[in-house]
Amino acid sequence: MSRRPLIAGNWKMYKTGPEAVETATTLARLCSNVQDVEVMIAPSFLSLPLVAESIKGTNINLGAQNLYFEKQGAFTGEVSADMIKAAGAKYVIIGHSERRQYFGETDTSVCKKIKAAIEVGLKPILCIGESDTQRDDEKTFSVLDKQVSNGLKGYGSDELAQLVLAYEPVWAIGTGKTASIDQVRQVHLYLRSLLEKLFSKDLADQTRILYGGSVKPENAKDLMGIEDVDGALVGGASLDADKFINIIKYNN
Ligand code: PGA
């Protein structure tokens, strides 16, 4: 089964609205002839409608970095799946390690957020990954197993048809340290077999599994060349369109 790679940029808490529009516009121009990979950018909530407008008719997709799982209500400061969808997004990143680390995100809240995304037709990008101590203690696979099975608890293959998984070892995020080719290969293979065990062979075959953690133009080709790696979730190197395009065009 061939899976179209997804190269996704997570802009985190960077860029004001005008700055986001400027980068998105440049990127859209640079991406005009990109066909073999799907491109997505996730600016801040505030920039979503502005960026949506600036990339209209281009081959760039829009994503949000988080959502709140309730449909609506008195939840000051939160943003719902419907609001994100209405702003023009197609994807939503869920359970990023920074959310787990700094904002108390748990597998239980992640699971509810996945549901909220699916209900409105947003494609969830579920982030998972072990910390350095968990890796040192040889707990990588058990940590990932728990994050996937609890984060996706109660769903069937059909509901998860649009799911994207992102393996992001916490120790590789924003550190300049990339997981080795062997580490990535092992984990991605493990995750695909886990999807088969928990759901179905079809779901395992069709789900894109991205790698994230210090992806840059210099290592993109090697990482994307690994079997079972179906794209990348890129933080720092996605902020600059001229840099990000070299990751998107890793094959050229
Ligand atoms: P990084 O971030 O590319 O800056 O390491 C990746 C991420 O947080 O998704």
Side-chain angles (χ1 to χ4, degrees):
M1 139 108 37
S2 82
R3 295 173 293 265
R4 188 163 179 234
L6 171 65
I7 307 287
N10 173 10
W11 287 357
K12 307 193 179 185
M13 200 175 74
Y14 291 100
K15 298 187 191 289
T16 60
E19 287 165 352
V21 165
E22 193 187 331
T23 309
T25 309
T26 308
L27 189 67
R29 186 169 39 75
L30 296 172
C31 279
S32 60
N33 58 354
V34 170
Q35 280 169 351
D36 46 344
V37 303
E38 194 180 347
V39 180
M40 186 277 267
I41 47 176
S44 84
F45 285 137
L46 280 178
S47 300
L48 286 175
L50 298 169
V51 171
E53 190 59 34
S54 70
I55 59 175
K56 215 180 238 169
T58 72
N59 52 6
I60 304 205
N61 294 293
L62 191 62
Q65 301 172 17
N66 181 31
L67 58 68
Y68 189 54
F69 51 75
E70 293 289 350
K71 274 217 96 54
Q72 59 177 15
F75 303 105
T76 304
E78 294 299 319
V79 176
S80 74
D82 275 323
M83 294 170 184
I84 291 167
K85 184 90 193 290
K90 195 163 153 189
Y91 286 93
V92 59
I93 299 169
I94 293 178
H96 189 281
S97 67
E98 284 149 18
R99 299 234 37 105
R100 295 179 192 254
Q101 208 175 333
Y102 307 129
F103 303 100
E105 193 90 80
T106 62
D107 290 336
T108 310
S109 58
V110 161
C111 189
K112 292 182 185 172
K113 290 181 176 196
I114 297 274
K115 180 163 189 267
I118 293 170
E119 272 176 3
V120 303
L122 281 172
K123 300 181 185 205
I125 302 181
L126 169 58
C127 299
I128 52 172
E130 82 287 1
S131 67
D132 48 358
T133 38
Q134 288 166 334
R135 179 162 278 271
D136 291 346
D137 294 346
E138 298 185 357
K139 291 197 180 126
T140 299
F141 294 120
S142 61
V143 166
L144 295 171
D145 192 314
K146 199 167 134 289
Q147 289 173 334
V148 173
S149 38
N150 292 342
L152 300 177
K153 203 183 227 144
Y155 302 113
S157 291
D158 289 352
E159 289 158 296
L160 297 177
Q162 303 298 330
L163 175 77
V164 177
L165 264 190
Y167 168 56
E168 299 203 300
V170 179
W171 47 271
I173 296 179
T175 57
K177 275 192 247 171
T178 316
S180 73
I181 300 292
D182 269 352
Q183 285 170 332
V184 177
R185 183 184 294 117
Q186 253 190 358
V187 168
H188 280 237
L189 183 65
Y190 175 79
L191 291 172
R192 202 167 303 283
S193 51
L194 183 61
L195 288 176
E196 181 171 346
K197 188 179 94 184
L198 295 173
F199 302 100
S200 66
K201 173 141 182 26
D202 280 354
L203 189 78
D205 281 345
Q206 82 189 43
T207 302
R208 288 176 293 181
I209 308 178
L210 316 184
Y211 168 79
S214 298
V215 176
K216 32 190 183 243
E218 301 80 51
N219 59 23
K221 193 176 166 88
D222 288 346
L223 288 164
M224 294 308 118
I226 303 171
E227 210 182 328
D228 289 310
V229 171
D230 310 306
L233 184 52
V234 187
S238 72
L239 293 169
D240 177 344
D242 293 314
K243 214 175 197 179
F244 194 33
I245 192 66
N246 287 315
I247 297 176
I248 294 165
K249 294 189 173 176
Y250 63 88
N251 245 340
N252 299 11

